Amino acid sequence: MNESILIVDDEKEIADLIELYLKNDGYTVHKFYTGIDALKCAEETKLDLAILDIMLPDIDGFHICQKIREKYFYPIIMLTAKVEAGDKIMGLTIGADDYITKPFDPLEVTARVKTQLRRYTKYNNSSDKEENITEYDIKGLVINRDTHKCTLYGNEISLTPIEFSLLWYLCENRGRVISSEELFENVWKEKYFESNNTVMAHIARLREKLGEPPRNPKFIKTVWGVGYTVE
């Protein structure tokens, strides 16, 4: 284990604590207390995961997340003292993969890091072929597991690992209505809770990238009270 992880938090004690736990688990850590320094690191350093505090003294974590997503697809975990659902949904829709609210147990952070890195490695390993089917072509939407690419009418669409996994699972189960619980537990590999809006936020982001009209989507349809389906 030698993955490189970016941490930025203006609360020195929190950043130092997360660094300590991650280093103890064998990770290489790049730690910063300001957004400018963290963004510079993200632009110049090969990273495998980023942990971004939202409230920073200069530029916020949302901005850093957006800049990272312009070029890179490694997992991003957002940290915040806020508990508003709107902030969580915003973080997820701009490309974050997970969201942790302060205060937290540092062991929870390391567990989330390991989960995200396992998922990222799995869905970017072209030799991982559990099924014979490696590509789906649905009404001009093409998703290929080997190349980890998605195109719509020949134009490539940039998807995060989570977005790719979510769309792949829906295409793999084409014609079946999949509940939010099933999607979450199969894509995120964690227990689903009733108040979890993660799936909804990611579906909204996927539809946006596919240019789907919210009221009449062509690809990912909502079956109200049941779940989502690709027909």
Side-chain angles (χ1 to χ4, degrees), residues 59-119:
I59 57 175
D60 62 38
F62 291 140
H63 177 76
I64 301 172
C65 179
Q66 287 177 309
K67 297 300 289 184
I68 289 174
R69 280 290 174 257
E70 289 177 3
K71 296 181 180 179
Y72 308 108
F73 305 112
Y74 53 75
I76 296 175
I77 299 174
M78 307 298 290
L79 294 178
T80 184
K82 291 187 174 183
V83 295
E84 287 87 347
D87 290 319
K88 182 172 183 179
I89 291 172
M90 179 177 178
L92 294 171
T93 54
I94 64 174
D97 297 281
D98 203 354
Y99 196 104
I100 299 176
T101 303
K102 300 175 185 178
F104 51 77
D105 184 334
L107 290 175
E108 178 190 0
V109 177
T110 57
R112 299 279 190 98
V113 165
K114 290 174 183 176
T115 297
Q116 291 296 333
L117 287 172
R118 276 198 306 269
R119 185 180 299 121

Side-chain angles (χ1 to χ4, degrees), residues 126 128-152 154 164 167-174 230:
S126 61
D128 183 14
K129 301 184 181 73
E130 297 178 353
E131 303 290 342
N132 293 326
I133 297 175
T134 59
E135 183 176 283
Y136 291 99
D137 186 345
I138 301 171
K139 304 175 187 175
L141 174 66
V142 179
I143 182 168
N144 189 296
R145 189 176 61 183
D146 282 354
T147 61
H148 206 272
K149 287 185 178 180
C150 178
T151 60
L152 181 60
F164 184 92
L167 183 57
W168 179 267
Y169 192 83
L170 286 168
C171 291
E172 195 174 33
N173 290 276
R174 183 181 178 184
V230 170

Side-chain angles (χ1 to χ4, degrees), residues 169-184:
Y169 192 83
L170 286 168
C171 291
E172 195 174 33
N173 290 276
R174 183 181 178 184
R176 188 164 72 86
V177 180
I178 313 296
S179 67
S180 293
E181 179 179 1
E182 181 179 341
L183 280 170
F184 188 84

